């Protein structure tokens, strides 16, 4: 009986862990060019859950590369529901963001147009990372947006507030302890008190994300001037919601922080649309369970392409005895053929020089001599 209880409890815990390992993914299309399919309400009701490696395959296709060789037919069917069928019309640039602590942004902020109009699908996060397989580094530029924030000033914070349409009021008694006020789409204002550790950490992570985006846009300007422009993959993660949820005295501030995060992501994507002239697609993965700082859901893996000569040498080097036997046969055949041709040539010349000077019946049978 005890064994049955242990088995029942283990099954329940396993089902709970599986339920918690689900999230949502949003594919955000360009505002000037359609790279994704338009999802109707009927498609939303019939849409299937995606796996993490299927999301990674979708990113690879959007960057202009083929999905993995071992990709299943069911996965290809799901990609067909997301991507337009034209393989020659890809953005060649993807902005991917992993957000932990938020399960469904539409529930948090229903008025956010960016995510409300995006193509949504539930995703099974699983227990391990998923690989985004990309070719050689010369064909794609992977830009990490997770670089930590270095030195900053109150002027930088004020510029960040102005970029989001808000303001920053400094504290006369102590520097970097002012109040950052950002308006939301629903008319509310989010006040971040930089004197509070939780507010400061959240605000600085948002600020770091915006700074890394600006660096990425500068890199894009440099890559645009090259003759062979590579594909660009911008990869970021955000775990700032975790600090808000761990505090007991936030008084619902975590919800306000989530709305501020969504507003910042919307502003970031608008800036990327302008910089890339509409040739970019956004992929945002939301995980309701907060992750550790070192843990991310997706991992970039480069697959090297070997030359045909290198492959031939590799195959030949597997069996040295076979290679030696083949060389011996080839050399023997070459020597025998050469000797036969040389002998035939010498015999032909010999018989030609010693030919009798008489009328040959075959040569002169049709010739009339005077």
């Amino acid at each position: 009986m005890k064994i049955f209880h242990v088995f029942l409890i283990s099954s329940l815990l396993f089902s709970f862990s599986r339920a918690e390992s689900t999230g949502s993914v949003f594919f955000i299309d360009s505002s000037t060019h359609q790279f994704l399919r338009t999802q109707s309400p009927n498609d939303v009701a019939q849409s299937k859950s995606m796996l993490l490696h299927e999301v990674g395959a979708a990113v690879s296709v959007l960057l202009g590369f083929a999905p993995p060789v071992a990709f299943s037919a069911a996965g290809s069917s799901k990609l067909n529901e997301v991507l337009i069928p034209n393989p020659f019309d890809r953005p060649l640039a993807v902005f991917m963001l992993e957000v932990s602590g938020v399960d469904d942004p539409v529930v948090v902020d229903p008025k956010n147009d960016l995510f409300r109009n995006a193509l949504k699908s539930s995703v099974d996060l699983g227990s391990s990372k998923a690989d985004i397989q990309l070719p050689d580094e010369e064909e794609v530029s992977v830009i990490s947006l997770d670089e930590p924030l270095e030195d900053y000033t109150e002027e930088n914070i004020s510029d960040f507030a102005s970029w989001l349409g808000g303001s920053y009021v400094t504290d006369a008694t102590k520097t970097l302890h002012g109040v950052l006020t950002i308006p939301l789409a629903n008319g509310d204002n989010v006040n971040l008190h930089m004197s509070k550790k939780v507010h400061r950490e959240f605000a600085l992570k948002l600020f770091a994300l915006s700074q890394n985006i600006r660096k990425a846009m500068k890199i894009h300007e440099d890559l645009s001037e090259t003759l062979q422009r590579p594909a660009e993959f911008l990869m970021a993660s955000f775990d700032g919601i975790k600090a808000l949820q761990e505090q007991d005295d936030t008084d619902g501030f975590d919800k306000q922080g989530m709305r501020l995060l969504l507003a910042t992501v919307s502003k970031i994507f608008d800036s990327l649309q302008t910089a890339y002239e509409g040739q970019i697609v956004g992929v945002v993965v939301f995980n309701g369970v907060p992750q550790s700082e070192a843990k991310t859901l997706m991992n970039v893996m480069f697959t090297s392409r070997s030359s045909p000569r290198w492959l031939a040498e590799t195959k030949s080097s597997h069996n040295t005895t076979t290679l030696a036997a083949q060389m011996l046969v080839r050399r023997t055949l070459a020597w025998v053929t050469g000797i036969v041709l040389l002998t035939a040539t010498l015999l032909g010349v010999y018989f030609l020089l010693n030919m009798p000077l008489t009328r040959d019946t075959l040569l002169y049978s049709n010739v009339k001599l005077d």
Side-chain angles (χ1 to χ4, degrees):
M1 193 67 179
K2 292 182 179 180
I3 297 177
F4 175 74
H5 287 164
V6 172
F7 177 76
L8 180 61
I9 294 173
S10 302
S11 300
L12 291 174
L13 291 176
F14 177 76
S15 62
F16 289 156
S17 63
R18 291 290 297 174
E20 290 178 351
S21 61
T22 58
S24 57
V25 57
F26 286 77
F27 294 91
I28 307 172
D29 206 351
S30 170
S31 58
T32 60
H33 197 98
Q34 183 179 1
F35 298 106
L36 306 174
R37 290 184 180 272
T38 303
Q39 195 173 38
S40 63
N42 295 332
D43 295 333
V44 175
Q46 299 176 0
S47 62
K48 301 178 182 179
S49 176
M50 298 184 68
L51 301 176
L52 264 183
H53 75 273
E54 294 171 347
V55 177
V59 172
S60 299
V61 175
L62 288 171
L63 290 173
F65 308 114
V69 178
F71 200 58
S72 63
S76 300
S77 177
K78 294 178 184 179
L79 292 189
N80 189 45
E81 297 177 359
V82 175
L83 310 175
I84 60 174
N86 187 359
F88 302 102
D89 193 8
R90 303 301 183 198
L92 304 183
V94 175
F95 165 63
M96 185 171 188
L97 175 65
E98 299 178 17
V99 180
S100 59
V102 182
D103 187 15
D104 192 343
V106 179
V107 176
V108 176
D109 189 3
K111 295 184 178 181
N112 190 291
D113 294 334
L114 182 68
F115 293 98
R116 186 178 59 182
N117 299 326
L119 197 152
K120 175 189 174 183
S121 176
S122 59
V123 59
D124 185 2
L125 302 179
S127 58
S128 59
K129 293 184 179 182
D131 292 330
I132 302 176
Q133 297 185 13
L134 301 176
D136 193 81
E137 297 184 15
E138 296 181 356
E139 299 184 36
V140 57
S141 174
V142 180
I143 305 173
S144 175
L145 304 177
D146 293 334
E147 295 183 7
L149 185 65
E150 299 178 353
D151 297 335
Y152 61 94
T153 62
E154 289 189 332
E155 183 180 357
N156 299 137
I157 300 177
S158 180
D159 294 340
F160 173 65
S162 301
W163 181 65
L164 290 174
S167 61
Y168 177 71
V169 180
T170 60
D171 188 351
T173 60
K174 195 173 184 180
T175 58
L176 301 176
H177 277 63
V179 179
L180 184 65
T181 303
I182 307 297
L184 299 177
N186 60 0
D188 297 338
N189 291 328
V190 179
N191 296 319
L192 296 173
H193 298 270
M194 303 298 288
S195 58
K196 297 181 180 181
K197 181 180 178 181
V198 177
H199 289 202
R200 182 171 63 254
E201 290 180 354
F202 178 75
L204 292 182
K205 287 187 176 182
L206 283 179
F207 179 52
L209 180 60
S210 65
Q211 289 293 99
N212 290 328
I213 286 293
R214 294 181 181 180
K215 294 179 181 179
M217 290 190 292
K218 291 181 180 179
I219 296 176
H220 168 70
E221 293 179 0
D222 297 336
L223 293 176
S224 300
E225 298 177 356
T226 58
L227 295 177
Q228 295 182 350
R229 174 189 163 189
E232 298 179 46
F233 182 36
L234 283 62
M235 196 171 185
S237 61
F238 187 86
D239 61 348
I241 302 296
K242 176 183 177 182
L244 300 180
Q245 294 175 338
E246 292 177 349
Q247 297 296 321
D248 298 331
D249 56 346
T250 54
D251 296 331
F253 183 76
D254 55 341
K255 300 294 183 182
Q256 295 289 335
M258 293 178 188
R259 294 190 179 97
L260 177 56
L261 169 62
L262 300 181
T264 305
V265 174
S266 300
K267 184 67 175 179
I268 286 174
F269 193 71
D270 290 341
S271 301
L272 291 174
Q273 285 287 312
T274 303
Y276 284 78
E277 298 180 352
Q279 297 295 315
I280 189 170
V281 168
V283 179
V284 186
V285 180
F286 291 92
N287 180 13
V289 180
Q291 301 289 330
S292 59
E293 294 183 0
K295 184 177 181 181
T296 56
L297 300 175
M298 310 297 291
N299 180 48
V300 176
M301 183 179 69
F302 290 99
T303 57
S304 59
R305 294 184 178 180
S306 304
S307 63
R309 179 179 179 182
W310 186 87
L311 291 175
E313 291 176 355
T314 303
K315 293 180 181 179
S316 300
S317 62
H318 288 320
N319 196 336
T320 310
T321 305
T322 304
L323 178 62
Q326 291 177 355
M327 293 298 297
L328 178 61
V329 170
R330 292 174 182 175
R331 288 180 179 177
T332 303
L333 182 61
W335 276 104
V336 170
T337 304
I339 292 174
V340 170
L341 291 176
L342 180 62
T343 304
T345 303
L346 293 176
L347 289 175
V349 172
Y350 172 79
F351 286 114
L352 180 63
L353 294 176
N354 294 277
M355 181 184 296
L357 301 175
T358 60
R359 292 184 176 182
D360 190 281
T361 306
L362 296 178
L363 293 177
Y364 301 101
S365 60
N366 295 326
V367 177
K368 295 182 180 180
L369 299 176
D370 296 336

